[in-house]
Amino acid sequence: MKRKFLMALFFSLVIGVLAACGGSDDDTADDGDATESDDKEVLTVATDNGYVPFEFIDEESGDLVGFDIDLITALADEAGYEIEFETLEFDGIVAGIGSGRFDIGIAGMTITEERKEEIDFTQPYYEAGLILAVKDGTDDIESIDDVDGKTVATRTGSTSQQYLEDETDADIEAFPAIIEAYQNVLAGRADAVLYDLPNVQYYSEKDADGEIVTVGDKLTGEDYGIAFPKGSEHRDEFDEALTTIKDNGTFDDIYEEWFGERPEGN
Ligand code: GLN
């Protein structure tokens, strides 16, 4: 009985939604402002749930916010799509785009040769790089050359984890959420953290009161790209939209809002 009731409820909801869509057909489209949600294809966007300042949950409002969120919203608008966000850990985003579970992935994701085998990327939209950081007052780690035999925290499935594996003999501790890596350093359970420079800087200034400090030079140049399943027709559409908003100043406005300055040479 209960099931039948739920089915009936479900179908009446579906019919309700269909009727609502039918009712709002824009054959009298004379009003430029009323185009909001009419008949646009909805694409699912997989994003990270804790990667400041690119995508994270604003504590006060509970909303998903960040540079990537504003960027993909502007791009979808430009390309003529509606988007729906799904947040998950970084590792799952790479896999979920590779398998075609999501239409788009945006998560400060570095374009790498390895990922390009599974995923298509747009042109780069942000230049990052990896940086080592320690708890303020640590004096035995001054650069990446000092981490062999030390415990270095990072995030599962990230380019930093790959770097530590390939280039060092550190004891790597990888966590699903990067915040756990920082917390372990603050609590003295890990000696250092390796991660993307903009994230480390933002976390250090805004969330850790400067108690996490960077050491040494930026390690690798990394470009972020927006990810699509291999062969997706949407890649070119969003890539073109990206070129358009880089040319018309929208990109620079969004960038300035999150990074406090306009980007160099777009
Ligand atoms: N840029 C890093 C990578 O692509 C980390 C991104 C993230 O944690 N969201 O692996």
Side-chain angles (χ1 to χ4, degrees):
M1 283 308 272
K2 196 168 171 203
R3 195 149 148 230
K4 265 201 182 148
F5 172 74
L6 285 175
M7 290 287 276
L9 183 66
F10 174 69
F11 281 114
S12 59
L13 280 176
V14 169
I15 287 165
V17 167
L18 289 176
C21 290
S24 69
D25 252 358
D26 58 355
D27 44 10
T28 54
D30 54 352
D31 179 354
D33 297 338
T35 51
E36 293 265 89
S37 61
D38 289 349
D39 300 331
K40 284 187 189 166
E41 192 184 332
V42 179
L43 302 179
T44 51
V45 177
T47 188
D48 195 340
N49 53 15
Y51 188 61
V52 292
F54 295 88
E55 43 268 321
F56 59 103
I57 306 293
D58 179 69
E59 274 180 20
E60 272 166 37
S61 65
D63 292 339
L64 180 66
V65 297
F67 174 69
D68 282 351
I69 304 304
D70 289 349
L71 176 60
I72 197 70
T73 302
L75 291 175
D77 199 41
E78 179 65 36
Y81 290 96
E82 288 279 316
I83 46 172
E84 224 165 58
F85 290 104
E86 278 206 36
T87 57
L88 61 163
E89 294 300 354
F90 184 69
D91 212 20
I93 301 171
V94 181
I97 296 295
S99 71
R101 204 177 127 208
F102 307 108
D103 298 310
I104 305 174
I106 188 160
M109 195 187 293
T110 305
I111 302 170
T112 68
E113 289 308 313
E114 210 184 328
R115 288 177 185 159
K116 277 205 274 188
E117 288 171 17
E118 319 277 328
I119 287 173
D120 285 346
F121 286 99
T122 56
Q123 62 185 290
Y125 67 87
Y126 185 92
E127 197 194 319
L130 306 182
I131 193 81
L132 190 68
V134 295
K135 190 175 173 179
D136 196 18
T138 306
D139 52 15
D140 56 344
I141 300 178
E142 287 174 352
S143 79
I144 196 75
D145 299 331
D146 302 326
V147 301
D148 291 355
K150 303 272 189 203
T151 305
V152 183
T154 189
R155 188 178 206 182
T156 316
S158 66
T159 46
S160 293
Q161 183 180 12
Q162 193 68 47
Y163 185 97
L164 288 166
E165 281 168 12
D166 294 346
E167 310 287 339
T168 74
D169 283 318
D171 276 331
I172 307 162
E173 279 196 7
F175 299 92
I178 189 62
I179 181 92
E180 293 175 67
Y182 294 130
Q183 284 165 350
N184 272 274
V185 172
L186 287 172
R189 286 190 293 269
D191 301 306
V193 54
L194 182 71
Y195 222 58
D196 297 47
L197 177 69
N199 181 255
V200 176
Q201 269 174 346
Y202 195 95
Y203 179 82
S204 171
E205 283 166 26
K206 304 244 155 118
D207 294 332
D209 280 337
E211 266 208 81
I212 296 256
V213 293
T214 63
V215 286
D217 298 328
K218 185 163 103 170
L219 294 176
T220 54
E222 298 202 353
D223 284 328
Y224 291 170
I226 304 167
F228 293 83
K230 264 240 158 308
S232 162
E233 78 262 31
H234 302 310
R235 193 215 77 104
D236 286 358
E237 298 163 352
F238 278 75
D239 193 67
E240 270 170 37
L242 183 51
T243 303
T244 305
I245 71 161
K246 278 183 178 178
D247 288 345
N248 72 16
T250 303
F251 180 90
D252 291 11
D253 291 345
I254 298 172
Y255 189 102
E256 189 173 13
E257 206 174 297
W258 288 100
F259 299 106
E261 58 187 12
R262 295 182 91 70
E264 282 166 36
N266 258 319

